[in-house]
């Protein structure tokens, strides 16, 4: 046993002798070589490559997972295609070849399959909450919102994705409605959903008709209480016929004290905050005559012609008027008469 290392050589001399001791020698060179392939101790099995957002898969470094031994040297493991190579699209099977090589040119191989797989679901963005306006019958129709949906898939064209809406377009609603968008046709095939709200909004004002009020009579202090007319207001609304759902107001409020013709406004407000008003004039009348105090009986002396000029006694008359209207007195031959001018001021504010 010479113990030669791989690649080393030694000269071998062979000598032959016959019985007469004659001899003959020859020489040759002995070189040590390694022709034994490396041994595979581990070859990775088939594997999966997950594609990215661009639907591309990247070959992994499978050589780093493999192991092998050799009788004479270390083992170098390489792979083809190399790590980092890009595999376009999903569902593609690529054979990976691992080569186990020793220092002296001996090699052996194993193979595995790498399959690209898309695990990224369809990306769906619903539109923001939308408004459906109430019509005259307090209903609204859902529009087709599918065109407002943003749906994308990393491996499937958006044009091939199927977008559905529930409830379907044209559905009649009378309240807020949750809308669900479902997208299919992507990879993976699991349906993907998103949701948004259709907010039902009533912007139609109620219809109102004011009552026709009766005239009011002022009292001795020139005031009268304004009635509450809200219960006499005629109204209709597109979304309710229940009075308890409505809000009614009056300005000035019922119970206010007025002393002249006064504009009154009645307002009806529906549950959605829409309101409409109507107005009328509350007329008042002063039917109380002024209280007068005349001077006492007077003596008038006749002149030489047996005539006398009647003096002006109007300045001696005192009066009390409930509404503070001006009182005009007039005097006629032989008598003094007074007239309450309140009738001329019934449509004016007190002075």
């Amino acid at each position: 046993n010479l113990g030669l290392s791989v690649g080393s050589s030694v000269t071998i001399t062979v000598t032959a002798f016959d019985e007469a001791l004659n001899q003959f020698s020859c020489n040759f060179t002995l070189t040590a070589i390694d022709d034994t392939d490396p041994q595979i101790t581990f070859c990775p099995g088939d594997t999966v490559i997950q594609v990215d957002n661009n639907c591309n898969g990247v070959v992994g470094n499978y050589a780093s997972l493999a192991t092998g031994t050799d009788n004479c040297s270390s083992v170098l493991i390489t792979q083809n295609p190399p790590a980092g190579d890009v595999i376009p699209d999903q569902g593609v099977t690529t054979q990976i070849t691992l080569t186990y090589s020793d220092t002296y040119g001996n090699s052996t191989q194993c193979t595995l399959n790498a399959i690209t797989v898309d695990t990224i679901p369809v990306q769906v963005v619903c539109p923001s909450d939308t408004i459906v306006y109430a019509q005259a019958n307090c209903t609204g129709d859902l529009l087709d919102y599918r065109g407002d949906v943003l749906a994308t898939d990393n491996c499937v064209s958006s044009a091939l994705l199927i977008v559905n809406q529930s409830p379907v377009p044209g559905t009649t609603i009378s309240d807020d409605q949750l809308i669900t968008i479902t997208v299919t046709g992507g990879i993976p095939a699991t349906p993907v959903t998103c949701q948004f709200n259709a907010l039902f909004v009533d912007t139609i004002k109620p219809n109102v008709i004011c009552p026709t009020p009766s005239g009011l009579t002022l009292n001795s202090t020139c005031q009268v209480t304004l009635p509450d007319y809200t219960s006499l207001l005629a109204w209709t609304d597109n979304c309710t016929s229940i009075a308890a759902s409505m809000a009614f107001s009056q300005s000035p409020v019922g119970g206010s004290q007025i002393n002249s013709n006064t504009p009154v406004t009645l307002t009806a407000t529906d549950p959605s905050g829409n309101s409409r008003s109507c107005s009328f004039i509350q007329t008042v009348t002063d039917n109380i005559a002024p209280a007068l105090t005349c001077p006492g009986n007077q003596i008038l002396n006749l002149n030489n012609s047996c005539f006398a000029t009647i003096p002006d006694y109007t300045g001696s008359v005192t009066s009390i008027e409930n509404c503070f209207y001006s009182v005009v007195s007039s005097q006629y031959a032989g008598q003094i008469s007074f007239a309450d001018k309140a009738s001329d001021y019934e449509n004016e504010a007190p002075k």
Side-chain angles (χ1 to χ4, degrees), residues 74-241:
S74 61
V75 177
L76 174 65
I77 304 174
T78 58
Q79 74 178 55
N80 184 51
D85 263 18
V86 174
I87 304 174
D89 208 354
Q90 64 84 37
V92 176
T93 299
T94 300
Q95 187 178 75
I96 309 294
T97 300
L98 300 181
T99 301
Y100 300 70
S101 303
D102 65 14
T103 304
Y104 306 106
N106 304 301
S107 64
T108 188
Q109 294 180 328
C110 72
T111 60
L112 64 134
N113 292 318
I115 303 174
T116 53
V117 175
D118 180 15
T119 59
I120 301 175
V122 173
Q123 302 299 303
V124 181
V125 180
C126 269
S128 302
D129 289 349
T130 189
I131 293 176
V132 175
Y133 291 100
Q135 302 168 1
N137 60 353
C138 199
T139 63
D141 295 330
L142 292 181
L143 300 179
D144 188 343
Y145 303 105
R146 293 175 295 176
D148 299 325
V149 175
L150 178 61
T152 58
D153 186 85
N154 60 323
C155 289
V156 177
S157 169
S158 295
L160 299 178
L161 298 177
I162 301 171
V163 181
N164 290 308
Q165 171 183 320
S166 178
V168 298
T171 298
T172 298
I173 63 172
S174 58
D175 203 349
D176 293 347
Q177 177 66 56
L178 181 65
I179 298 176
T180 300
I181 297 295
T182 303
V183 179
T184 57
I187 299 174
T190 304
V192 179
T193 63
C194 66
Q195 294 179 317
F196 64 99
N197 293 302
L199 304 176
F200 186 74
V201 176
D202 174 23
T203 58
I204 299 177
K205 297 179 179 180
N207 294 313
V208 294
I209 300 176
C210 271
T212 301
S214 301
L216 302 177
T217 301
L218 297 171
N219 60 20
S220 60
T221 62
C222 198
Q223 291 185 323
V224 67
T225 300
L226 180 67
D228 185 345
Y229 290 106
T230 55
S231 63
L232 301 179
L233 178 67
W235 63 274
T236 59
D237 185 73
N238 64 318
C239 284
T240 185
S241 59

